Amino acid sequence: VQLWEFGGGSAQTGGSLKLSCTASGYSFSGCGMGWYQQAPGKERNLIASISPDGTTSYAHSVEDRFFISTDNDKKNLYLQMNNLKIEDTAVYYCAALAGLGPVCARGNQPNMGQGTQVTVSS
């Protein structure tokens, strides 16, 4: 099942953006879900995740600024990004992690979208 990200774009430092992700209309209720960040010339890293029971986890670099959430139907995943910094400039990927269901990762590889660009400038 393909994941699709929306909401990328440009923002100024200190601003906010909200990313969203859908799984082609499927529910991802059985999956852990996450957002990956890949800055230019750097590795792709998991920066936020949410488990099926709603437990969230964040990378230190985005903690208290970024917030991951889902809608009640577990068909939309969000990443609220506040107090944006220059170093947040990256491509952001929605990912379905391990779990049970057609959207979830197969094996060790997350089911990942195509990514959306976020550019932060001063």
Side-chain angles (χ1 to χ4, degrees):
V1 177
Q2 179 70 47
L3 300 180
W4 302 94
E5 301 94 343
F6 302 92
S10 299
Q12 292 189 317
T13 53
S16 299
L17 283 174
K18 187 173 184 176
L19 306 183
S20 60
C21 170
T22 66
S24 302
Y26 285 82
S27 170
F28 47 75
S29 60
C31 314
M33 297 294 293
W35 288 95
Y36 282 75
Q37 177 193 68
Q38 187 167 21
K42 296 190 176 181
E43 293 182 350
R44 190 176 302 180
N45 294 313
L46 181 65
I47 58 164
S49 64
I50 185 166
S51 67
D53 70 0
T55 301
T56 58
S57 180
Y58 298 95
H60 179 69
S61 60
V62 304
E63 197 168 21
D64 297 326
R65 297 189 300 120
F66 291 11
F67 300 94
I68 188 171
S69 63
T70 68
D71 62 1
N72 289 335
D73 292 337
K74 302 291 180 69
K75 292 185 176 181
N76 291 281
L77 179 73
Y78 304 105
L79 185 68
Q80 178 67 47
M81 303 187 295
N82 299 326
N83 191 21
L84 285 162
K85 302 178 180 181
I86 298 286
E87 52 265 40
D88 295 324
T89 295
V91 179
Y92 288 78
Y93 299 85
C94 168
L97 309 176
L100 296 175
V103 180
C104 305
R106 295 287 181 262
N108 294 325
Q109 291 297 318
N111 180 12
M112 201 168 292
Q114 297 299 304
T116 185
Q117 176 72 46
V118 171
T119 302
V120 184
S121 59
S122 59

